[in-house]
């Protein structure tokens, strides 16, 4: 199998609460961005192997976690197939850029393996995605645009015209966990998500939203990311108002004219 794993952009991202486990409840609009992708190649082999220019150990990679989670849901005979795969990832999506590269790899691999070999119902597959990581469900869904809520596992496809974006990713690695922790340390007035009619946003097109609000209003993680990374803050201050911020950073995007 050969396929592309595209990145995503967050048109808006609002954090609603944090539970006792430390998970953040959010609501966001995800849009697939077709201009940025990783290329994935899978073939049968004598044993399992995973190759790619990853910044983390193989055992911590979301692909490895996805394979293990899928294996646990399969009968023993079918699960054995997963021990005989060679997976090669040609990485092009910047890591630490807020584009969901790792989640896209895991979600797309789960989708294609299940479609080709196993045929498990989506209900089970979405449970597996939730085990693997917060954004994996969106990529497994193959939606082009969706309202995403919960901790990232609730996906409601949003049908709208496909937009083209220009993406700019500075040479800054934004650690997602650290950015969320920095958000938690903001004062209540700086978080300010209750000031916006998020239910209204979920019904509006991405184009309407981007034409109506600025990047700070749309993404609750912009301010903590800028506080954490002075270099990123210096870059952000030079960008025009037409630029928006994706996820926990460091990528900015704007509509192509």
């Amino acid at each position: 199998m050969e396929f592309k794993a595209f990145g995503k952009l967050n048109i808006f991202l609002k954090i609603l609460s944090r539970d006792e486990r430390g998970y953040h409840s959010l609501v966001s609009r995800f849009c697939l961005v077709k201009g940025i992708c990783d290329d994935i190649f899978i073939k049968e082999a004598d044993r399992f192997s995973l190759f790619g220019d990853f910044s983390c150990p193989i055992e911590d990679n979301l692909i490895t976690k996805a394979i293990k989670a899928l294996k646990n849901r399969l009968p023993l005979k079918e699960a054995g197939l997963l021990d005989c795969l060679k997976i090669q990832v040609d990485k092009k999506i910047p890591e630490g850029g807020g584009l969901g590269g790792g989640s896209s790899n895991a979600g797309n691999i789960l989708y294609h393996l299940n479609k080709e070999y196993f045929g498990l119902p989506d209900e089970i597959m979405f449970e597996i995605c939730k085990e693997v990581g917060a954004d994996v469900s969106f990529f497994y869904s193959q939606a082009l645009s969706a309202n995403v809520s919960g901790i990232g596992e609730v996906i409601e496809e949003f049908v709208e015209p496909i937009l083209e974006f220009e993406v700019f990713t500075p040479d800054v690695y934004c650690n997602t966990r650290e950015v969320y922790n920095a958000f938690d340390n903001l004062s209540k007035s700086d978080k300010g998500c209750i000031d916006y009619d998020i239910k209204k946003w979920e019904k509006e097109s991405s184009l309407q939203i981007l034409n109506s609000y600025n990047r700070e209003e749309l993404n609750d993680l912009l301010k903590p990311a800028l506080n954490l990374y002075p270099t990123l803050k210096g870059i952000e201050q030079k960008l025009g108002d037409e630029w928006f911020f994706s996820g926990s950073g460091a990528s900015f995007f704007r509509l192509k004219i």
Side-chain angles (χ1 to χ4, degrees):
M1 288 184 285
E2 299 179 14
F3 52 89
K4 295 183 182 298
F6 295 100
K8 59 81 180 168
L9 296 171
N10 298 86
I11 302 302
F12 65 87
L13 192 161
K14 309 302 287 185
I15 299 173
L16 306 180
S17 62
R18 182 186 182 190
D19 65 22
E20 65 279 359
R21 301 168 298 170
Y23 294 123
H24 293 82
S25 176
L26 56 83
V27 60
S28 182
R29 169 74 53 76
F30 282 28
C31 283
L32 213 62
V33 55
K34 289 295 188 79
I36 301 176
C37 68
D38 294 338
D39 292 308
I40 298 180
F41 308 87
I42 302 177
K43 65 178 181 179
E44 296 179 14
D46 295 332
R47 58 185 176 84
F48 178 80
S49 58
L50 173 60
F51 299 94
D53 186 16
F54 306 115
S55 62
C56 65
I58 295 298
E59 59 270 20
D60 295 333
N61 190 285
L62 289 183
I63 296 173
T64 304
K65 293 180 179 180
I67 296 296
K68 289 181 178 178
L70 177 58
K71 187 176 179 180
N72 289 338
R73 298 298 187 103
L74 292 170
L76 187 61
K77 185 177 180 180
E78 292 185 336
L81 172 65
L82 298 176
D83 292 327
C84 302
L85 295 178
K86 177 183 177 182
I87 302 176
Q88 173 75 45
V89 182
D90 185 2
K91 293 290 295 178
K92 300 186 189 74
I93 301 175
E95 294 187 308
L99 302 175
S103 297
S104 181
N105 293 167
N108 278 286
I109 285 173
L110 286 172
Y111 173 81
H112 286 281
L113 287 178
N114 188 52
K115 182 180 179 181
E116 180 74 16
Y117 294 111
F118 308 120
L120 293 176
D122 282 342
E123 179 181 352
I124 292 176
M125 292 303 298
F126 279 118
E127 290 176 0
I128 293 172
C129 290
K130 185 178 178 180
E131 291 176 28
V132 178
D135 295 343
V136 176
S137 295
F138 169 73
F139 294 104
Y140 172 82
S141 76
Q142 304 294 293
L144 299 177
S145 176
N147 290 323
V148 178
S149 57
I151 60 172
E153 84 284 8
V154 181
I155 311 298
E156 296 180 7
E157 186 173 5
F158 188 85
V159 179
E160 62 177 337
I162 304 303
L163 301 174
E164 291 190 24
F165 298 98
E166 178 183 350
V167 180
F168 165 54
T169 305
D171 189 18
V172 178
Y173 182 95
C174 285
N175 183 291
T176 299
R177 184 186 299 273
E178 292 179 0
V179 173
Y180 272 92
N181 287 339
F183 172 82
D184 292 332
N185 292 327
L186 291 175
S187 66
K188 187 175 181 180
S189 61
D190 280 338
K191 293 177 181 176
C193 65
I194 60 173
D195 295 336
Y196 304 99
D197 189 351
I198 300 170
K199 291 296 183 183
K200 177 185 175 186
W201 291 4
E202 290 181 303
K203 299 175 183 177
E204 292 182 335
S205 72
S206 296
L207 182 60
Q208 286 176 295
I209 294 168
L210 294 175
N211 283 335
S212 301
Y213 300 91
N214 63 47
R215 56 180 172 264
E216 186 171 332
E217 291 172 316
L218 290 178
N219 193 330
D220 283 348
L221 297 180
L222 173 61
K223 187 175 293 184
L226 298 181
N227 290 343
L228 269 179
Y229 303 103
T231 301
L232 187 67
K233 186 173 184 178
I235 293 169
E236 186 266 347
Q237 289 174 341
K238 298 176 182 178
L239 293 177
D241 293 339
E242 76 277 14
W243 289 95
F244 300 91
F245 192 64
S246 184
S248 56
S251 294
F252 296 89
F253 65 95
R254 66 180 176 185
L255 290 164
K256 274 189 177 179
I257 300 174

